[in-house]
């Protein structure tokens, strides 16, 4: 069994600041679970273009308020605590934080922790 505490991730290379967000990567590909889990803060007043062409992602909001806009149809989905959205079609989207939002994110396939969004908001698939 593996036990991970957020306090042990903060300040390590598993805490990544993307400018508009800070992702604390709790489980990564190296943990062998088949998915990765992240505790992510989306900063208030930001808009982030994201398009996970190589990953599926489910996101559960536990604090804050914002919205996600799917770009194929420009549909706006309000996000508040207790809302889950899943990008089950590799949806290109904008994520906007009205307030700081704390999100629990699950990626399949799992990320390694070395990924960086490219100019299209895409994470590459990295094999360890």
């Amino acid at each position: 069994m593996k036990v991970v505490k957020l306090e042990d991730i903060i300040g390590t290379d598993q805490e990544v600041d993307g400018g508009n967000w800070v992702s604390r990567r709790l489980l990564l590909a190296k943990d062998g679970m088949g998915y990765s889990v992240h505790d992510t803060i989306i900063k208030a007043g930001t808009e982030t273009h994201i398009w996970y062409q190589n990953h599926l992602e489910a996101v559960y909001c536990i604090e804050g308020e914002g919205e996600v806009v799917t770009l194929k149809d420009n549909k706006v989905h309000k996000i508040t605590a207790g809302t889950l959205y899943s990008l089950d079609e590799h949806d290109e989207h904008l994520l906007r934080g009205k307030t700081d939002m704390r999100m629990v994110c699950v990626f399949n396939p799992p990320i390694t922790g070395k990924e960086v969004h490219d100019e299209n908001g895409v994470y590459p698939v990295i094999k360890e």
Side-chain angles (χ1 to χ4, degrees), residues 27-39:
L27 287 176
L28 294 168
K30 68 181 179 181
D31 296 305
M33 296 294 294
Y35 54 87
S36 57
V37 178
H38 315 238
D39 183 313

Side-chain angles (χ1 to χ4, degrees), residues 49-60:
H49 173 242
I50 306 170
W51 190 9
Y52 295 124
Q53 296 173 352
N54 303 309
H55 298 83
L56 297 175
E57 182 190 27
V59 181
Y60 182 64

Side-chain angles (χ1 to χ4, degrees), residues 5 14 18 25 54 56-57 66 74 78 81 84 97 101 107 110 115 121 124:
K5 293 186 177 187
Q14 284 184 231
R25 280 93 188 260
N54 303 309
L56 297 175
E57 182 190 27
N74 287 318
K78 185 176 180 178
L84 179 133
M101 292 190 294
F107 283 87
E115 293 81 356

Side-chain angles (χ1 to χ4, degrees), residues 67-78 93-94:
E67 62 188 23
V68 62
V69 181
T70 48
L71 294 182
K72 72 178 177 184
D73 57 10
N74 287 318
K75 190 167 183 181
V76 178
H77 306 270
K78 185 176 180 178
H93 61 287
L94 299 175

